[in-house]
């Protein structure tokens, strides 16, 4: 217990982003570049996805990593799982490391369940002997014994998920890295996965767990690290760090500039240039506690005067299904015309969305042209979370596949 | 990832890196299972499986015989009938060109894994060459009925044919590693390579014997490392004469390609996940 299982020392990761040096160049560009002279030095910009991270994880600890999207938590996990190298600093890991993959990553749809167990096991670093030894347990855990010799492309998504998790759950590494894999599967299976992870952690192995699901973080982890803008912002007990995270968020959502958003359609006479999520107090947020009112602000710019537009928005779930739609027409707001710049606010006083990730879609119509002036899909991402003051029995709100809305339901029973 | 070093230090590496043979050995089962997966999927998806693998060289043989032998009047310069000559050439050529192409594209094909899980990246192009070797062996079975049909007995050198195959595999893997690594950085390589290979076939004695070339061009043809390989394969099968120098040259090129390719691959490997 004295030596830490993982020690992270001054770990930094830089990504280079540049106008010319896109993710990859073509040879033609590179050759053309040789004949260009100094003035065309490509403009590069360094982004530190992680900066000077220091901490240790003790053996048998279940550490949760939380933070906004792009905060660097997945980069940290990628370094620990050897997918990418750090730019500076180092990480020392004592023991066998394995990552629990995103569901189905190592599967081949044409191969049978049996074949995929071997394939996936090998990808995760198991030897054939090890897989053979655990084969029956894997099949039993996944409950697919009848479909062992069916190609997995014919599996239901539930079976697929169960099989993928079952293989990974039978890895026996000393350090297990898990990146947001539990966001799938049915309720019952979910419970067994969490149980299995608990077992793993209890058996003295180290678990590092990245998740957006704050309630499962609180339930599973012994300690939580909050990563914010590439730095370790806080490290401590789950309760303390999660509540700090919920109370302090100033960045993310609203800072986006949608002027260059590519996936849009419309006449362009008015354009949505920004979208903010606002708390009741008017602060920009990107995480909303369950059943707490919030506002969506659409900032627009007009190239010319647009008469009698409607402004609308809808909220989509991660499956890209629209679960709510509203517009100024239904909301009783008549807009004579818009010009120049401005913003339009939509307050949702009693939102009943269940905890989870949601996306926004927004539009402005151009009535004189009978078309959209601008229409953007999947622009904002926000999260509804279970607040810290929530009752324990509401933890079940975060289990997947229970739909997207909450309605106050009153139950009664009469015996006759 | 069996039971290797228990302590792992992750830190930035710079410059050239050596090839970690121990690690590659530890991951040999992954190599095997990747190759097995490729073969399984390839043969399962096609209705006729192995027949398809043999059908392709067979049809090529017929077309080339018609085109180059009957129409263009190209002979073999030896007692080997032209169809056998062109079949053997096509078999070894398509093994090499398909292995270079597949290995070259393999990393991009496996990008979903490379960005998610660690394993020695060399396993990916290696497994592709292994599965191509299996394909080649199945296709080469076609030589048996073909040689019986033409009444040509195999030369005693035929026992050395596996060595020629290994030489071809080394050459293809070396070239494939270069292509795979370059492919990550310069995506137009994947358009360039099949095109270059197609042209290169006509610069290699596949459809014509080396002796059919005018003497002053023979020197150029001998610089082509595939010349030695194709000639050696025919030498092993039919005992046709072979000039030693092109073969030595092929070995030198193949081995240096393999080493330089592997080192270049290792050098850029660390950036794969960031670029893919």
């Amino acid at each position: 217990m004295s030596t830490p299982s993982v020690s992270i020392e001054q770990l930094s990761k830089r990504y280079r982003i540049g106008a010319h040096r896109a993710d990859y160049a073509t040879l033609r560009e590179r050759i053309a570049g040789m004949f260009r002279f100094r003035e065309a030095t490509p403009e590069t910009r360094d982004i530190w996805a992680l900066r000077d991270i220091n901490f240790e994880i003790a053996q048998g600890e279940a550490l949760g990593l939380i933070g906004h999207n792009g905060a660097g938590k997945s980069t940290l996990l990628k370094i620990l799982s050897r997918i990418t190298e750090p730019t500076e600093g180092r990480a020392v890991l004592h023991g066998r490391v394995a990552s629990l993959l995103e569901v189905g990553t190592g599967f081949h749809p044409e191969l049978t369940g049996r074949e995929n167990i071997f394939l996936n096991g090998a990808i995760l670093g198991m030897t054939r002997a090890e897989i053979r030894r655990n084969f029956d347990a894997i099949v039993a855990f996944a409950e697919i014994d009848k479909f062992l010799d069916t190609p997995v492309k014919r599996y239901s998504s539930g079976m697929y998920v169960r099989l993928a998790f079952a293989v990974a759950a039978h890895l026996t590494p000393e350090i297990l890295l898990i990146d947001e894999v539990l966001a799938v599967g049915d309720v019952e299976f979910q419970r067994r996965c969490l149980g299995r992870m608990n077992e793993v952690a209890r058996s003295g192995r180290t678990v590092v767990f990245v998740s957006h699901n704050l309630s499962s973080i609180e339930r599973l982890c012994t300690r939580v690290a909050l990563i914010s803008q590439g730095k370790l912002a806080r490290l401590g007990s789950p309760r303390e760090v999660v509540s700090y995270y919920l109370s302090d968020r100033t960045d993310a959502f609203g800072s986006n500039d949608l002027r260059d958003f590519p996936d849009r359609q419309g006449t362009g006479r008015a354009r949505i240039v920004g979208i903010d999520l606002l708390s009741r107090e008017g602060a920009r947020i990107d995480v909303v506690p369950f059943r707490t009112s919030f506002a969506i602000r659409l900032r627009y710019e007009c190239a010319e005067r647009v008469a009698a537009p409607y402004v609308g928005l809808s909220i989509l779930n991660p499956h890209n299904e629209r679960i709510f739609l509203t517009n100024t027409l239904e909301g009783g707001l008549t807009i004579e015309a818009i010009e120049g710049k401005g913003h339009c606010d939509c307050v949702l006083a009693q939102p009943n969305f269940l905890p989870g990730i949601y996306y926004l879609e927004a539009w402005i119509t151009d009535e004189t042209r009978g078309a959209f002036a601008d229409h953007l899909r999947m622009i904002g991402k926000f999260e509804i979370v279970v607040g810290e003051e929530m009752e324990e029995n509401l933890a079940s709100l975060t289990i997947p596949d229970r739909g997207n809305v909450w309605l106050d339901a009153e139950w009664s029973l009469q015996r006759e | 990832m069996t039971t290797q070093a228990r302590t792992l230090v992750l830190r930035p590496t710079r410059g050239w890196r050596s090839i970690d043979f121990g690690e590659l050995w530890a991951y040999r089962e992954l190599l095997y299972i990747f190759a097995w997966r490729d073969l399984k999927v390839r043969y399962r998806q096609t209705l006729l499986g192995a027949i398809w693998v043999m059908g392709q060289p067979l049809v090529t043989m017929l077309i080339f015989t018609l085109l180059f032998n009957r129409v263009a009047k190209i002979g073999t310069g030896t007692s080997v009938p032209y169809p056998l000559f062109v079949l053997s050439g096509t078999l070894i050529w398509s093994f090499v060109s398909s292995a270079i192409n597949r290995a070259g594209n393999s990393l991009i094909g496996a990008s979903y894994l490379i960005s998610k899980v660690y394993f020695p990246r060399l396993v990916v192009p290696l497994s592709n060459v292994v599965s191509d070797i299996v394909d080649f062996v199945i296709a080469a079975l076609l030589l048996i009925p073909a040689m019986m049909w033409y009444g040509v007995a195999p030369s005693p050198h035929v026992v050395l044919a596996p060595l020629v195959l290994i030489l071809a595999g080394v050459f293809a893997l070396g070239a494939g590693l270069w292509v795979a690594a370059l492919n990550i950085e310069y995506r137009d390589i994947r358009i360039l390579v099949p095109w270059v290979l197609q042209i290169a076939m006509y610069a290699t004695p596949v459809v014509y014997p080396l002796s059919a070339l005018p003497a002053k061009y023979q020197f150029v043809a001998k610089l082509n490392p595939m010349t030695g390989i194709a000639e050696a394969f025919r030498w092993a099968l039919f005992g046709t004469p072979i000039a030693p120098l092109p073969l030595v040259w092929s070995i030198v090129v193949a081995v240096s390609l393999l080493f330089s390719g592997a080192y270049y691959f290792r050098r850029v490997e660390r950036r794969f996940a960031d670029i893919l």
Side-chain angles (χ1 to χ4, degrees):
Chain A
M1 288 301 279
S2 53
T3 52
S5 182
V6 179
S7 53
I8 294 165
E9 297 157 24
Q10 285 155 3
L11 201 71
S12 299
K13 175 73 183 179
R14 180 185 59 206
Y15 285 104
R16 191 153 274 172
I17 296 173
H20 281 282
R21 179 82 183 82
D23 278 356
Y24 53 84
T26 63
L27 193 58
R28 196 177 50 127
E29 284 166 11
R30 195 49 79 85
I31 291 168
M34 289 196 277
F35 297 102
R36 233 183 273 134
F37 296 97
R38 289 270 294 281
E39 20 74 52
T41 327
E43 228 178 274
T44 55
R45 202 155 51 95
D46 286 347
I47 301 244
W48 287 94
L50 284 180
R51 198 72 172 114
D52 207 16
I53 302 272
N54 288 287
F55 68 96
E56 290 186 339
I57 306 169
Q59 197 210 322
E61 193 171 18
L63 181 96
L65 283 175
I66 60 173
H68 295 294
N69 289 310
K73 54 191 190 306
S74 290
T75 304
L76 179 55
L77 210 67
K78 273 190 172 164
I79 292 174
L80 295 182
S81 53
R82 300 179 75 187
I83 291 162
T84 188
E85 278 188 353
T87 313
E88 286 169 15
R90 61 178 207 160
V92 183
L93 292 88
H94 299 278
R96 240 180 93 171
V97 187
S99 328
L100 218 164
L101 295 178
E102 212 172 281
V103 162
T105 301
F107 279 1
H108 197 291
E110 297 289 338
L111 300 180
T112 66
R114 182 192 305 277
E115 291 162 346
N116 268 303
I117 289 175
F118 282 92
L119 174 62
N120 211 15
I123 289 169
L124 293 172
M126 284 196 240
T127 62
R128 257 181 306 163
E130 239 179 304
I131 300 167
R132 233 174 255 134
R133 203 159 50 234
N134 287 306
F135 191 82
D136 293 337
I138 292 171
V139 173
F141 193 90
E143 297 169 340
I144 54 141
D145 39 336
K146 284 199 210 81
F147 305 97
L148 254 186
D149 295 304
T150 308
V152 299
K153 65 178 175 188
R154 296 199 222 290
Y155 278 26
S156 71
S157 59
M159 287 159 68
Y160 208 81
V161 169
R162 288 206 301 271
L163 182 59
F165 189 85
V167 176
H170 290 84
L171 283 167
T172 49
E174 277 95 31
I175 302 169
L176 183 62
L177 308 172
I178 305 174
D179 192 359
E180 198 79 70
V181 273
L182 289 177
V184 282
D186 60 47
V187 179
E188 171 53 28
F189 184 69
Q190 186 87 11
R191 194 171 305 140
R192 281 171 45 209
C193 291
L194 289 175
R196 176 83 199 172
M197 283 173 54
N198 251 327
E199 255 173 59
V200 169
R202 293 237 170 85
S203 64
R205 281 176 263 163
T206 309
V207 179
V208 181
F209 180 39
V210 168
S211 181
H212 279 285
N213 187 332
L214 296 177
S215 74
S216 55
I217 287 267
E218 281 202 57
R219 255 179 299 160
L220 274 173
C221 300
T222 50
R223 238 175 11 142
V224 174
L226 169 64
I227 310 283
S228 173
Q229 295 175 332
K231 297 203 174 78
L232 179 66
R234 207 138 181 130
L235 180 67
S237 77
R239 185 149 281 262
E240 180 213 325
V241 177
V242 167
S243 63
Y244 175 81
Y245 173 62
L246 285 172
S247 63
D248 172 77
R249 59 189 62 84
T250 47
D251 57 340
F253 198 88
S255 54
N256 53 6
D257 185 345
L258 298 172
R259 281 183 185 85
D260 298 323
F261 188 80
D263 183 19
R264 67 203 309 160
Q265 58 177 81
T267 61
R269 297 207 301 153
R271 282 160 70 87
I272 294 166
V273 296
I275 183 159
D276 299 323
L277 216 61
L278 304 173
S279 72
R280 206 173 354 204
E281 292 78 28
R284 278 184 184 171
I285 51 175
D286 68 345
V287 177
V288 184
F290 176 60
R291 302 192 92 190
T292 306
S293 90
F294 65 100
I296 297 159
R297 169 167 293 174
L298 300 174
R299 287 182 275 121
Y300 63 83
E301 278 177 18
C302 300
E304 47 195 293
R305 187 175 186 272
V306 178
Y310 303 144
V311 179
L313 62 88
S314 54
I315 293 177
L316 302 101
N317 66 17
H319 303 299
N320 207 5
E321 293 157 349
R322 202 174 281 116
I323 52 175
F324 169 70
L325 183 151
T326 181
N327 63 35
T328 49
L329 180 68
E330 291 173 3
L333 174 71
T334 310
I335 306 172
E336 211 167 280
I338 49 172
E339 279 183 280
K341 291 182 185 178
H343 61 79
C344 190
D345 287 354
C346 173
V347 176
L348 299 175
Q350 284 180 307
N352 284 324
F353 303 109
L354 284 175
I357 304 279
Y358 294 92
Y359 295 88
L360 289 167
E361 175 182 19
W363 60 90
I364 299 176
T365 64
D366 189 346
E367 293 299 315
T368 50
R369 302 273 165 97
F372 287 117
D374 198 12
H375 181 195
L376 301 93
R377 274 178 76 83
M378 300 299 258
I379 37 176
K381 178 179 176 181
F382 66 98
E383 189 176 3
I384 304 279
V385 294
V386 178
E388 52 183 309
E389 72 286 351
M390 283 296 173
E391 314 254 336
E392 182 60 28
N393 63 0
L394 288 185
S396 66
L397 285 177
T398 58
I399 55 184
D401 284 344
R402 64 162 289 166
N404 299 112
V405 294
W406 170 270
L407 298 174
D408 286 318
E410 279 178 33
W411 289 81
S412 62
L413 174 87
Q414 268 110 44
R415 292 185 198 281
E416 286 176 15
Chain B
M1 181 182 349
T2 46
T3 41
Q4 318 155 33
R6 293 250 140 177
T7 298
L8 186 67
V9 179
L10 310 173
R11 62 163 97 223
T13 56
R14 281 180 180 80
W16 299 98
R17 301 194 290 186
S18 61
I19 299 161
D20 192 340
F21 289 103
E23 192 186 40
L24 270 182
W25 178 249
Y27 275 88
R28 65 193 180 279
E29 286 196 351
L30 186 64
L31 169 76
Y32 158 82
I33 214 157
F34 274 164
W36 166 85
R37 174 197 63 185
D38 287 350
L39 290 167
K40 195 113 192 179
V41 170
R42 213 178 293 158
Y43 287 94
R44 186 169 289 175
Q45 275 171 334
T46 56
L47 194 63
L48 299 171
I51 296 174
W52 175 242
V53 176
M54 291 191 190
Q56 224 171 349
L58 184 68
V59 171
T60 311
M61 175 187 89
L62 294 175
I63 292 173
F64 283 177
T65 303
L66 187 72
L67 222 60
F68 297 110
N69 186 238
R70 296 294 143 82
V71 179
K73 302 288 179 210
I74 294 175
T76 67
T78 59
S79 58
V80 180
Y82 187 82
L84 281 184
F85 175 87
V86 83
L87 176 63
S88 57
T90 320
L91 281 171
I92 194 82
W93 175 264
S94 32
F95 162 65
V96 169
S97 86
S98 140
I100 293 176
N101 263 323
R102 276 217 188 99
N105 283 321
S106 61
L107 285 177
I108 292 177
S111 58
Y112 67 101
L113 274 181
I114 288 174
S115 56
K116 293 277 155 55
V117 65
Y118 175 80
F119 50 85
R121 307 316 190 195
L122 275 168
V123 166
V124 176
L126 255 170
S127 70
N128 272 277
V129 174
V130 169
S131 71
D132 270 319
I133 288 177
V134 176
D135 267 358
F136 170 82
V137 170
I138 293 170
L141 293 177
L142 194 62
L143 281 164
I144 300 170
M147 286 169 82
M148 282 162 72
W149 177 272
Y150 287 101
V152 174
S155 92
H157 310 145
V158 78
V159 293
L160 295 175
L163 287 182
V164 180
L165 179 61
I166 289 171
L167 173 62
V170 166
F171 174 71
L173 180 62
L177 288 176
W178 273 101
V179 175
L182 286 168
N183 219 344
I184 297 277
E185 284 202 88
Y186 311 105
R187 295 289 165 100
D188 44 4
I189 294 282
R190 69 188 310 177
I191 304 161
L192 196 67
V193 168
W195 181 72
V196 168
L197 283 171
Q198 210 169 13
I199 293 172
M201 189 189 88
Y202 293 100
T204 305
V206 171
V207 297
Y208 56 84
L210 194 56
S211 60
L213 288 178
K216 55 180 173 179
Y217 294 127
Q218 283 201 11
F219 171 69
V220 183
K222 283 173 186 167
L223 281 179
N224 175 355
M226 272 307 291
T227 301
I229 294 172
E231 297 274 286
F233 188 52
R234 289 196 182 110
W235 167 81
L237 288 176
F238 314 120
T240 47
I242 179 171
L245 226 52
L247 181 60
V248 171
W249 173 242
S250 298
I251 294 170
V252 169
V253 171
V255 171
S256 22
L257 263 184
L258 181 62
F259 275 93
S260 60
Y263 276 95
Y264 179 66
F265 188 95
R266 287 281 291 161
R267 190 187 159 93
V268 293
E269 178 183 51
R270 76 196 87 174
R271 305 218 323 269
F272 288 168
D274 295 345
I275 299 176
L276 274 169

